[in-house]
Amino acid sequence: LAKTTQPISMDSYEGQEVNITCSHNNIATNDYITWYQQFPSQGPRFIIQGYKTKVTNEVASLFIPADRKSSTLSLPRVSLSDTAVYYCLVAGGNNRLAFGKGNQVVVIP
Amino acid sequence: DAGVIQSPRHEVTEMGQEVTLRCKPISGHNSLFWYRQTMMRGLELLIYFNNNVPIDDSGMPEDRFSAKMPNASFSTLKIQPSEPRDSAVYFCASVEGGASYEQYFGPGTRLTVT
């Protein structure tokens, strides 16, 4: 499984756009990049997945440069309820995911 | 659909006792995963099943841990004997199949071993 590196934590003010970065220098050709969100006392929840360039859904956007060695999850206009741990994962042709410790994002009023 | 169901939600037991955690995956999902989460180690994959067959159990800590999936709608994770270091939140997740990374997690079981 390709290893990912994320900041341990970050703060952001309510209403701002939050960009969460992830490094995955050893990503393989058939790996996809996946992001999950976990609120306190809940299981992780799938947010978005991509392979290259840009993917957008109703929750977030995922930006992946051409070399795919990093990715950025963008959350538009965060609210207090977006305070959570965000996990960046890369995975290949099976369903096995390595979550690690994630990035604690705290949204401040 | 009710989502992934786990029971019990909380379990407190004494060291040396047997603990059984239960999981009901989402109907139609053919892969099931057991994870353990602690502050120190984060979220770790213990074992996963595909079509009720264990595929990868390399994350199972030791022989005290065992997991079964007798049918497509039920799985158990057993710890015997339990130890204080097993205290953690245990999550079950299921996925529809194929190369899908959209896993659906249950609410977890918080285990405390005293």
Side-chain angles (χ1 to χ4, degrees):
Chain A
L1 294 176
K3 181 179 171 59
T4 62
T5 303
Q6 300 177 249
I8 294 175
S9 65
M10 62 186 298
D11 298 339
S12 179
Y13 287 100
E14 195 173 16
Q16 289 188 334
E17 177 184 78
V18 172
N19 295 309
I20 309 170
T21 60
C22 179
S23 297
H24 26 81
N25 292 318
N26 296 322
I27 190 168
T29 303
N30 63 344
D31 283 343
Y32 278 75
I33 300 155
T34 307
W35 286 78
Y36 279 73
Q37 173 191 54
Q38 185 177 22
F39 297 115
S41 301
Q42 294 185 25
R45 182 177 72 113
F46 173 87
I47 301 176
I48 198 167
Q49 175 182 306
Y51 185 81
K52 62 180 178 180
T53 63
K54 177 183 175 183
V55 180
T56 297
N57 62 20
E58 65 278 6
V59 177
S61 294
L62 178 60
F63 298 91
I64 306 168
D67 66 4
R68 304 200 327 122
K69 293 183 182 300
S70 65
S71 58
T72 299
L73 179 74
S74 180
L75 306 173
R77 298 174 59 81
V78 294
S79 64
L80 298 178
S81 62
D82 291 316
T83 292
V85 177
Y86 291 83
Y87 297 91
C88 165
L89 308 97
V90 295
N94 57 34
N95 292 325
R96 199 172 192 279
L97 299 176
F99 277 82
K101 295 188 177 181
N103 179 344
Q104 172 69 63
V105 173
V106 177
V107 180
I108 305 167
Chain B
D1 199 313
V4 176
I5 300 172
Q6 291 188 247
S7 64
R9 293 294 309 276
H10 301 273
E11 176 81 31
V12 180
T13 190
E14 293 183 346
M15 181 174 63
Q17 297 298 307
E18 178 180 294
V19 175
T20 299
L21 311 180
R22 297 173 176 79
C23 175
K24 176 178 167 54
I26 293 173
S27 178
H29 285 191
N30 59 5
S31 293
L32 182 142
F33 304 78
W34 282 100
Y35 292 89
R36 175 173 68 175
Q37 186 169 39
T38 62
M39 288 292 292
M40 289 293 294
R41 301 173 69 91
L43 190 61
E44 305 173 280
L45 176 65
L46 299 177
I47 184 171
Y48 84 89
F49 296 83
N50 191 39
N51 293 321
N52 312 336
V53 176
I55 301 300
D56 183 352
D57 65 354
S58 60
M60 295 286 263
E62 48 198 271
D63 291 345
R64 298 185 297 107
F65 286 68
S66 62
K68 294 182 179 179
M69 192 165 185
N71 57 62
S73 59
F74 184 66
S75 177
T76 60
L77 177 68
K78 184 177 294 186
I79 307 172
Q80 166 64 17
S82 58
E83 296 182 2
R85 60 190 168 125
D86 301 330
S87 297
V89 180
Y90 290 81
F91 289 103
C92 174
S94 68
V95 67
E96 193 167 357
S100 170
Y101 311 111
E102 188 170 351
Q103 296 186 10
Y104 291 81
F105 280 74
T109 295
R110 181 174 293 278
L111 173 66
T112 303
V113 183
T114 60

